[in-house]
Amino acid sequence: MRLGPWRRLRRSRAAGRSTAGTALATAAVLSCLIGGITAVARGEPAWTTYHHDAGRSGYDPDGASPLPPSLAWQSVDLGGPIWGQPLVLGSRVYVATVANGLYALDAATGAVIWSRTAGPPVPSSQLPCGDVSPTVGIVGTPVIDPAAAEIFAVADVWNQATGKAQHVLVGYGLTSGVEVLRTPVDPANAEPKDYLQRTALNLDGGNVIFGFGGNDGDCGTYRGTVVSAPESGGAPAFWQVPIAVKTQSGGAVWGTSGPIVDSQGRIFASTGNPNPGGEKATVYDESDSLVALGPALNPIGYFKPPSWEQDSNSDTDLGSAGPELLPGGLIFQAGKNGTGYLLDETMGKGTPAVFSQQVCGGAGSFGGDAYYAGVIYVACSNGTQALAYNQAARSFAPTWKGPGDAAGPPIVSAGLVWVVATHGSRPGTKLYGLDPATGAPRYTETLPSAAVDHFASPSAAGGRLFVATGTTVTAYQIAVPPPGSGSAIVPPPLPPQAAPTRQPSVAATLASTSLTVNSSGRLTVKVRCPAGVTVCKGTITLRTLKAVLAEAGPLAVARGGRARAAILTLATGTFRVPGGHVKAITLHLRSRAMRLLRRTHVLRARAVLVIRDGAGTLRSSRATVTLHLARGRRR
């Protein structure tokens, strides 16, 4: 379904892709519609797809003048956890949630410019298995088409009346968030509840490219699928793994970086193992492989690892990470078995690897990799691994390995390798800036809220780095914005002869999100005020994350009152912290909150910090915290 004049515009563009004249005419019409040429053409900040580009390089060209990282802002709660990478174009950041929300934020302040919902998300309880919660909505990273000034995402939408789910490709205009596309994209005869759209989206000649796999746990019946859906709203094309085992299930296309697209429009996707259901997989069926597809999803070739049979029968997916396009016409691919392969872009059916070597030291690779200046940075589950790539010899050699918990998919910006510490399935609470020569942490930043996606990866553009931190986005200033980027934070001019003053410009944050409460209800909260600010002063409030059963109290019960479910305020207080310092603030839990904690021993809560001055609120930040009853004092 298409809306308004965009339908006519899209048809014109899709019909005229083969002629330069029509393409130029379309570009001219787009310029008029969006008020000028695209942000990319103006040289403005751009990170429009997962790891920056269609080949997933993970390199940000804007960080030419590095700065020590400093917290710029944390957005408000966006209503649902974020499992994808933030995207950037011009002065805006775009992000989607598993609650099916899609947001445009101001890159300089984090303020919400517009928000849209793609429809009711699927309650996690309605799926046979999985690890995305509390709902499944937009999980894969969206993609921006700068020429069309539109953003696309795949949403899992729930129909309460029928109890059915459906995956839908949705598109929105970047300027105002107007919906321009809504196309069903489930494969024929599929049970949508058994499919998870986990991969990042990509673009290929006016089509949106992405993969389908199964839910965590591989319950139900699904086939790994690559989808090519026209931006013009036409019917999507599908390629599915020809699973040979009797279950006809498996071969997930699920690595978070998703399929890559080369300069010829060829699509490369890594696949996972079949689900034999007790049967041994012995017949090769393009599972646990790298497959090459034409722009129309016609099969071109595949790479079958020598260990295919063993990998397929031991859940050792090659497709746990997406492929990486390298200079010299080669592709890098690694997976759960930790072997790195170099493969020729011109691969045919059964083409062997150009070069292979163990790269993760007995661990596996998950998510996606990065490449810059002759070095491949591999996302290994035991820490980022750097490989020196020899294009002439068509080989690579290990150089260094980063900290063991620096396991998230890395990117390169402002002269450093940036990695979220997402070791195992634990939420990521740290951001590393690694030295590209040694792998040693040059900076270690504590995130104000944890990254819930255990394959979380930051993005960067315009001198800033952006991380999905739970239900918020957090931005760090890591470089001087490039000239003409329009990304600099410019303070208002001072009145004539006025003395310069330093005012709060960024939010105070918590230095720790694990809080211990003693038997009397007292707890200590450490509040951090960023450097470059004179003082952070304001209020802090702790509230329950969700409605809980609130006790009415003995007097009310005696009079016939009832307990009720409510969002409880647990504690409140004030803080005053000098810039560049961390200060301990003492709070006291309210009696009702203390009774609740004594029953549960552990309580998850939302902390809201608000900076105020005489003119009102300047900035707020939020964090999810865990309250623990002190050991030896539990009742």
Side-chain angles (χ1 to χ4, degrees):
M1 179 181 72
R2 303 292 294 173
L3 304 179
W6 291 94
R7 178 186 290 122
R8 296 188 294 273
L9 172 62
R10 291 303 222 139
R11 286 178 179 171
S12 171
R13 189 178 68 201
R17 280 198 302 265
S18 61
T19 66
T22 303
L24 288 172
T26 301
V29 173
L30 278 167
S31 295
C32 294
L33 286 175
I34 66 174
I37 59 176
T38 66
V40 172
R42 290 195 300 266
E44 291 193 353
W47 188 286
T48 59
T49 186
Y50 186 94
H51 277 204
H52 186 268
D53 47 63
R56 310 308 195 202
S57 74
Y59 171 64
D60 163 37
D62 289 347
S65 302
L67 295 171
S70 61
L71 183 66
W73 51 260
Q74 183 182 19
S75 74
V76 299
D77 190 317
L78 300 180
I82 301 164
W83 281 62
Q85 216 179 31
L87 301 179
V88 185
L89 186 59
S91 60
R92 295 185 181 183
V93 179
Y94 299 87
V95 68
T97 75
V98 298
N100 271 343
L102 199 144
Y103 295 81
L105 310 177
D106 187 298
T109 66
V112 176
I113 297 172
W114 58 255
S115 64
R116 299 291 180 268
T117 179
V122 179
S124 301
S125 59
Q126 296 296 324
L127 301 179
C129 63
D131 61 350
V132 182
S133 65
T135 58
V136 179
I138 301 173
V139 183
T141 301
V143 65
I144 291 173
D145 184 342
E150 294 173 3
I151 184 169
F152 300 94
V154 175
D156 202 357
V157 179
W158 179 246
N159 187 318
Q160 178 67 38
T162 63
K164 293 184 177 181
Q166 182 183 49
H167 291 93
V168 180
L169 176 66
V170 292
Y172 299 93
L174 296 180
T175 303
S176 61
V178 61
E179 185 176 302
V180 297
L181 176 67
R182 182 169 288 266
T183 301
V185 291
D186 283 303
N189 303 315
E191 169 49 71
K193 291 182 183 179
D194 294 344
Y195 281 68
L196 180 66
Q197 201 290 295
R198 184 74 170 91
T199 75
L201 279 56
N202 213 331
L203 295 179
D204 185 16
N207 297 299
V208 181
I209 310 297
F210 55 91
F212 273 121
N215 297 299
D216 181 57
D218 282 331
C219 55
T221 300
Y222 71 88
R223 282 194 184 191
T225 304
V226 178
V227 184
S228 176
E231 294 180 45
S232 58
F238 301 92
W239 175 86
Q240 293 191 291
V241 179
I243 296 295
V245 294
K246 293 177 182 178
T247 62
Q248 297 289 289
S249 184
V253 181
W254 70 278
T256 52
S257 61
I260 60 172
V261 179
D262 72 4
S263 60
Q264 305 301 311
R266 290 173 296 200
I267 300 162
F268 300 87
S270 54
T271 63
N273 58 272
N275 300 327
E279 174 190 4
K280 186 176 181 181
T282 58
V283 178
Y284 179 70
D285 55 8
E286 300 180 42
S287 57
D288 274 322
S289 302
L290 183 72
V291 297
L293 306 170
L297 298 191
N298 51 302
I300 295 175
Y302 57 79
F303 163 66
K304 174 187 176 183
S307 57
W308 176 85
E309 187 170 337
Q310 177 183 344
D311 294 344
S312 293
N313 288 292
S314 60
D315 189 30
T316 312
D317 297 28
L318 183 67
S320 60
E324 172 86 11
L325 195 61
L326 301 175
L330 295 182
I331 296 169
F332 177 82
Q333 175 70 56
K336 283 186 182 179
N337 69 12
T339 300
Y341 302 96
L342 289 182
L343 309 165
D344 200 299
E345 277 185 79
T346 60
M347 70 173 65
K349 295 182 178 180
T351 301
V354 172
F355 181 81
S356 64
Q357 184 176 317
Q358 175 60 228
V359 298
C360 289
S365 178
F366 294 84
D369 311 312
Y371 173 83
Y372 176 64
V375 182
I376 306 167
Y377 300 97
V378 185
C380 294
S381 58
N382 59 355
T384 302
Q385 173 68 64
L387 306 174
Y389 171 52
N390 188 325
Q391 181 176 334
R394 309 185 90 191
S395 64
F396 57 75
T399 56
W400 55 255
K401 184 176 285 292
D405 62 346
I411 69 167
V412 182
S413 180
L416 297 176
V417 180
W418 298 93
V419 188
V420 177
T422 59
H423 183 62
S425 59
R426 297 192 298 271
T429 58
K430 291 185 293 185
L431 172 70
Y432 285 114
L434 305 180
D435 189 309
T438 65
R442 195 177 296 174
Y443 300 106
T444 302
E445 298 292 316
T446 299
L447 297 172
S449 300
V452 295
D453 176 13
H454 41 274
F455 307 130
S457 183
S459 52
R464 297 188 185 89
L465 181 140
F466 306 93
V467 188
T469 45
T471 59
T472 67
V473 176
T474 298
Y476 291 87
Q477 195 77 38
I478 60 170
V480 177
S485 69
S487 184
I489 304 175
V490 181
L494 295 171
Q497 299 181 341
T501 58
R502 300 169 74 193
Q503 295 294 332
S505 59
V506 289
T509 58
L510 294 184
S512 174
T513 57
S514 181
L515 310 177
T516 301
V517 183
N518 70 11
S519 59
S520 64
R522 189 176 65 185
L523 68 154
T524 299
V525 179
K526 293 182 179 180
V527 178
R528 176 189 289 114
C529 184
V533 177
T534 303
V535 65
C536 295
K537 57 181 179 178
T539 61
I540 179 171
T541 304
L542 301 183
R543 296 189 181 95
T544 54
L545 282 172
K546 58 180 70 175
V548 297
L549 194 64
E551 298 174 351
L555 182 60
V557 171
R559 294 177 178 176
R562 296 181 180 179
R564 61 187 181 88
I567 299 290
L568 294 184
T569 297
L570 306 177
T572 59
T574 60
F575 60 85
R576 183 183 179 90
V577 184
H581 289 75
V582 176
K583 187 175 180 180
I585 308 298
T586 299
L587 301 178
H588 289 85
L589 284 193
R590 296 181 179 183
S591 58
R592 182 175 294 176
M594 195 60 190
R595 288 196 294 270
L596 180 62
L597 182 59
R598 282 174 176 150
R599 290 202 307 268
T600 61
H601 302 319
V602 177
L603 188 62
R604 297 270 284 172
R606 175 77 72 203
V608 182
L609 295 89
V610 180
I611 295 177
R612 298 181 181 277
D613 66 2
T617 300
L618 290 179
R619 191 67 55 84
S620 65
S621 68
R622 290 164 169 78
T624 299
V625 299
T626 304
L627 305 179
H628 304 268
L629 196 59
R631 292 183 181 274
R633 302 289 186 178
R634 296 179 179 176
R635 302 188 212 174

